[in-house]
Structure formats: structure tokens, C-alpha cells
Amino acid sequence: MSVHIGANKGDIAETILLPGDPLRAKYIAENFLEDVTCYNEVRGMYGYTGTYNGKRVSVQGTGMGIPSISIYAQELIEQYGVKNLIRVGSCGALQEDIKVRDLVLAQAASTDSGVNQRRFHGIDFAPVADFNLLKKAHDIATERNFNVSVGNVYTSDNFYTEEKELTNTLANHDVLAVEMETTALYTLAAKFGVSALTVLTVSDHIITGEETTSQERQETFNEMVEVALNAALSE
Ligand SMILES: O=P(O)(O)O[C@H]1O[C@H](CO)[C@@H](O)[C@H]1O
Ligand SMILES: O=c1cc[nH]c(=O)[nH]1
């Protein structure tokens, strides 16, 4: 057991999906995996291991924001030997041609967080996705005719913000969407020499104001899960 995960060594697969919402983890386990066991209920942050097309895979809720995902990612890598981490999250779109329910693959992640400023003594580290996972995910999404965009995302410490000028500047520099975890996931993957990718579904639109319900955020982001599972588990 680690501090925040009540699993034994060997209970967690080398490949794991990481939704922020623990109930999305439950939904994924119940609807996509076979032979499922629940290995974690500590803090209600559900974790499950099962199989997808015969291959072993886990899914673990991470909670919201950089501090929370950092705890789960580090314990999964250091204490359970996880090697491939694919975040499956929701985001707010920053570009007009990206629509609600479209997919966004995070090639890189900008941030307003001070965490990496401290880690890298004030220099601007550029956290990036694993190229192989990114390429596979993009191939799978385009083969299936899903609406998908690839590019920079903005990992913000604030869900509620009045920084319209900042949002406009980010949008004008081709940042595709805002979410709250990817900078940390990519940085920890680089530190520990493992692979990471973030696959996002647009849950709301920062420019048009269109949004989805919390029920939809939990249960209807199936395209994202299909892309993540197939990219992570293909040879
Ligand atoms: O849907 P998840 O994966 O939680 O991701 C997004 O949703 C949460 C905010 O509502 C933040 O965690 C953000 O990154
Ligand atoms: O962090 C997030 C997630 C979804 N939508 C947003 O606007 N922000």
C-alpha cells in the first residue's frame, strides 16, 4: 500500500487511464473492461484493474488539479511500477473551430502553476507528450473519423478565472484548450522515464459558452476512452 492507494504490489497494470473524476473511473471500468477488480477506495478515489481486448489495464481517478494528480502519478510510478499513463479528462475549448464533445490531444502543456518554476529554479521547462502514444492516439482518432485536434493546452490552477485578456493571449498563441493537470503529468513522466499522454474531451466552450452536464462529463465521453485504450494497448 502507498499513502493514498490501498493496493498491493502487482494489483495495478503497467498501463493506466487517469480520469480526474473517480466516478468516470468507475464508468470506464464497468463499461469498457472485463474481469474487473476494484483495488482502491481510499478517499473515494476509485481504482480498478481489468482487461481490454485481453490486455491488462487499470483506471484510477486522480482528483482535480496539479497537487492531486501529482500524488497519484508519483505513487503509481514509483510504488506500483506503472509505465504508461494516459489522462482522460475534460477541458474548455479556446478555439472557435474546436466544438463541444470534440477530442483534444495535448502535445504540450503551458501553465500558470508555480510548481515547475520551483522544480526548475525559475526556468520555463516545456512538458511534452510521449510521441509514440500521441501518434497512435491521433492515428486511431482519425481512422474512426472522430473530430480531433493536436496542440498545446493550458494547465491552470484556477477553474474560475476572470483573466479574459490572458485567455485571449493564449488563444492567439494557438493554445487549444484549458484543463488542470497535464503539466504535472508530463513533468513527472519525464522525471521518472515513463510515457504519458493526455486525451481530452471538450466539456465546455470558453468562447461560445456552450457546455455539457456533469452526467455527460461522467458518462458520455466514450470516444476519448476508446482512443486512450487502443493507443495505450496497441503493439
Ligand atoms: O474532467 P477532469 O479529468 O477532472 O478534468 C477537468 O475537469 C476538472 C474541472 O472541472 C479539472 O480536473 C479539469 O482538468
Ligand atoms: O479545467 C477545465 C475543465 C473543463 N473546462 C474548463 O473550462 N476548465
Side-chain angles (χ1 to χ4, degrees):
M1 289 195 7
S2 62
V3 175
H4 302 92
I5 303 174
N8 294 313
K9 297 249 184 254
D11 285 351
I12 304 179
E14 282 196 354
T15 295
I16 195 160
L17 265 51
L18 301 173
D21 181 354
L23 293 180
R24 194 180 312 136
K26 184 167 189 278
Y27 174 82
I28 293 168
E30 286 173 353
N31 291 280
F32 286 85
L33 307 189
E34 291 177 338
D35 304 321
V36 173
T37 53
C38 177
Y39 65 75
N40 190 52
E41 291 187 346
V42 175
R43 290 178 179 249
M45 203 60 76
Y46 298 122
Y48 303 87
T49 297
T51 59
Y52 179 76
N53 291 339
K55 293 180 181 156
R56 200 158 175 263
V57 63
S58 296
V59 53
Q60 169 70 56
T62 65
M64 292 182 275
I66 284 176
S68 192
I69 194 170
S70 298
I71 287 171
Y72 290 100
Q74 185 147 345
E75 290 183 19
L76 288 167
I77 297 165
E78 274 200 308
Q79 304 199 36
Y80 294 98
V82 173
K83 302 271 185 253
N84 304 301
L85 300 92
I86 299 98
R87 165 165 155 69
V88 282
S90 61
C91 67
L94 291 170
Q95 302 292 333
E96 277 195 43
D97 60 346
I98 298 180
K99 311 291 181 208
V100 166
R101 297 180 192 80
D102 282 2
L103 301 185
V104 172
L105 304 179
Q107 184 174 17
S110 305
T111 192
D112 59 357
S113 165
V115 166
N116 274 3
Q117 288 282 319
R118 288 181 75 110
R119 186 188 288 277
F120 295 100
H121 303 236
I123 73 147
D124 292 322
F125 176 74
V128 295
D130 177 80
F131 178 74
N132 286 326
L133 282 175
L134 178 64
K135 184 172 183 318
K136 280 183 198 162
H138 187 253
D139 288 349
I140 289 160
T142 49
E143 272 161 22
R144 292 173 194 218
N145 288 323
F146 297 160
N147 290 331
V148 64
S149 301
V150 182
N152 203 348
V153 303
Y154 171 43
T155 299
S156 179
D157 275 348
N158 293 302
F159 182 82
Y160 295 108
T161 169
E162 286 160 21
E163 294 172 311
K164 192 147 182 42
E165 206 182 315
L166 170 63
T167 306
N168 287 341
T169 303
L170 290 166
N172 291 339
H173 287 74
D174 259 352
V175 177
L176 305 184
V178 54
E179 54 86 72
M180 299 178 68
E181 292 84 14
T182 298
T183 286
L185 178 64
Y186 288 3
T187 302
L188 288 169
K191 175 177 163 62
F192 290 109
V194 298
S195 303
L197 175 68
T198 289
V199 185
L200 299 165
T201 302
V202 177
S203 58
D204 51 274
H205 210 293
I206 306 297
I207 299 167
T208 65
E210 195 188 346
E211 52 187 23
T212 52
T213 63
S214 57
Q215 181 88 7
E216 278 187 278
R217 285 170 210 220
Q218 188 181 313
E219 296 188 349
T220 65
F221 291 165
N222 292 347
E223 289 184 359
M224 164 171 78
V225 178
E226 245 181 88
V227 167
L229 284 169
N230 286 289
L233 295 170
S234 67
E235 297 307 324

